[in-house]
């Protein structure tokens, strides 16, 4: 009877203190073989492990919950950062695709205009823009291959000064003509050209003036002859400047 009462007390103690359910009858441990030496050895092992664990921290649960919340917060921040990086990469890929399409379309349009403008300035010949690295358009350089009339196909580095100036003008106007603006201002753009090249340049200006209003700052007499109106500064008396405006259409009609 005494053993049974002690057993019931142990069962109750284990349940209330440790939350462990033990058998509460003497019959359930009747076949248990008790080995004192083995039990004592096990007790010593458990004692050593408990000592290694140190004293119980009563705030361990609260600290664990705080650390868990901190971990969840950092994990969310990490996930948001990874998602943002992926969004940026997608945006970059989309921008690169758009830039590549726009660049190739613009290059094709410039080349098409160059086939028209170059013969006007050179009175024949041909020119073409080529990518140095066609497999990587966004990282590629651009070369201009030109063939003035009566000459072999060459690069700009082998042209004369006047031919270089005309080629540069052809390229400039080829880009401009992709989307002509209603107003165009040119400053001394005809300065490096000789008399023969000036006439070709003037023919191109005449064609441009059909779509855009062109204002040209120039000192070349041949260029002044093709314009509709002249604005200039003269000095009839030393030290006294005077602005002049001449409508050549009215002057010609008169």
């Amino acid at each position: 009877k005494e053993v049974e009462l002690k057993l019931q007390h142990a069962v109750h103690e284990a349940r209330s203190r440790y939350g462990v359910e033990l058998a509460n009858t003497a019959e359930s441990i009747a076949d248990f073989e008790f080995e004192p030496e083995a039990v004592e050895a096990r007790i010593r092992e458990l004692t050593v492990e408990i000592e290694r664990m140190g004293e119980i921290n009563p705030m361990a649960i609260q600290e664990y919950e705080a650390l868990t919340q901190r971990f969840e917060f950092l994990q969310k921040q990490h996930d948001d950062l990874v998602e943002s990086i992926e969004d940026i990469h997608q945006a970059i890929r989309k921008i690169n695709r758009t830039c590549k399409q726009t660049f190739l379309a613009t290059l094709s349009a410039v080349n098409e205009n160059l086939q028209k403008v170059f013969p006007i300035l050179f009175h024949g010949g041909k020119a073409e823009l080529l990518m140095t690295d066609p497999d990587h358009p966004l990282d590629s350089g651009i070369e201009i291959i030109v063939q003035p009339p009566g000459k072999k196909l060459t690069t700009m580095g082998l042209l004369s000064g006047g031919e270089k100036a005309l080629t540069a003008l052809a390229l400039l106007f080829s880009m401009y003509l992709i989307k002509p603006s209603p107003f165009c201002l040119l400053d001394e753009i005809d300065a490096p050209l000789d008399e023969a090249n000036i006439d070709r340049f003037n023919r191109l200006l005449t064609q441009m003036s059909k779509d855009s209003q062109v204002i040209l700052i120039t000192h070349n007499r041949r260029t002044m002859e093709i314009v509709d109106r002249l604005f200039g500064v003269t000095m009839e008396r030393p030290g006294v400047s005077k602005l002049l405006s001449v409508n050549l259409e009215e002057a010609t009609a008169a």
Side-chain angles (χ1 to χ4, degrees):
K1 186 67 175 179
E2 182 178 356
V3 173
E4 187 174 352
L5 290 175
K6 289 182 178 181
L7 180 60
Q8 291 177 355
H9 176 71
V11 169
H12 177 73
E13 186 73 11
R15 182 186 302 113
S16 60
R17 178 173 295 185
Y18 305 107
V20 177
E21 290 290 340
L22 300 176
N24 56 3
T25 60
E27 290 80 3
S28 61
I29 59 173
D31 298 331
F32 180 74
E33 295 182 1
F34 181 73
E35 298 180 1
E37 295 180 357
V39 172
E40 290 179 1
R42 180 59 178 163
I43 291 174
R44 287 194 295 270
E45 292 176 2
L46 295 175
T47 301
V48 171
E49 292 181 5
I50 292 174
E51 290 176 353
R52 289 177 179 175
M53 293 175 61
E55 296 184 1
I56 297 175
N57 181 7
M59 302 298 294
I61 296 178
Q62 290 83 349
E63 292 178 0
Y64 170 78
E65 292 176 350
L67 291 175
T68 300
Q69 293 178 358
R70 179 63 177 170
F71 171 78
E72 292 175 351
F73 171 77
L74 293 177
Q75 184 66 44
K76 186 176 183 302
Q77 295 294 313
H78 172 269
D79 295 340
D80 291 343
L81 182 60
V82 171
E83 184 178 355
S84 298
I85 292 174
E86 180 59 27
D87 290 343
I88 292 174
H89 286 167
Q90 291 181 0
I92 292 174
R93 289 192 290 268
K94 182 178 179 180
I95 292 172
N96 286 341
R97 286 196 301 269
T98 303
C99 290
K100 181 179 178 180
Q101 294 171 358
T102 303
F103 172 75
L104 293 177
T106 303
L107 181 64
S108 176
V110 172
N111 261 326
E112 184 177 348
N113 289 335
L114 193 59
Q115 304 303 318
K116 302 175 183 176
V117 174
F118 189 87
I120 295 176
L121 292 177
F122 279 83
H123 204 61
K126 62 181 181 179
E128 184 181 9
L129 295 178
L130 297 177
M131 290 185 292
T132 58
D133 187 2
D135 295 332
H136 303 89
L138 298 182
D139 299 321
S140 174
I142 300 295
E143 288 186 345
I144 179 169
I145 307 299
V146 297
Q147 186 176 12
K151 294 187 178 182
K152 294 182 179 180
L153 200 65
T154 184
T155 60
M156 281 193 64
L158 300 178
L159 298 178
S160 65
E163 289 173 335
K164 289 180 180 179
L166 281 182
T167 303
L169 289 175
L171 180 59
L172 177 64
F173 287 121
S174 296
M175 292 186 288
Y176 174 80
L177 292 174
I178 293 177
K179 191 176 181 181
S181 64
F183 180 82
C184 180
L185 175 62
L186 304 175
D187 184 7
E188 295 285 356
I189 197 171
D190 57 347
L193 304 179
D194 56 22
E195 290 293 327
N197 291 331
I198 281 290
D199 292 336
R200 299 171 186 174
F201 171 70
N202 290 342
R203 284 198 298 269
L204 180 62
L205 280 184
T206 302
Q207 292 188 16
M208 284 184 56
S209 64
K210 298 177 180 178
D211 300 318
S212 302
Q213 182 179 5
V214 180
I215 295 181
L216 174 64
I217 300 173
T218 182
H219 291 88
N220 190 284
R221 178 182 58 82
R222 302 286 288 274
T223 302
M224 295 180 189
E225 292 175 354
I226 68 167
V227 302
D228 300 328
R229 184 181 293 271
L230 282 174
F231 298 91
V233 180
T234 185
M235 188 177 294
E236 296 179 352
R237 291 184 297 170
V240 180
S241 298
K242 182 179 179 181
L243 298 179
L244 294 178
S245 174
V246 179
N247 190 329
L248 296 184
E249 290 184 345
E250 294 179 357
T252 303

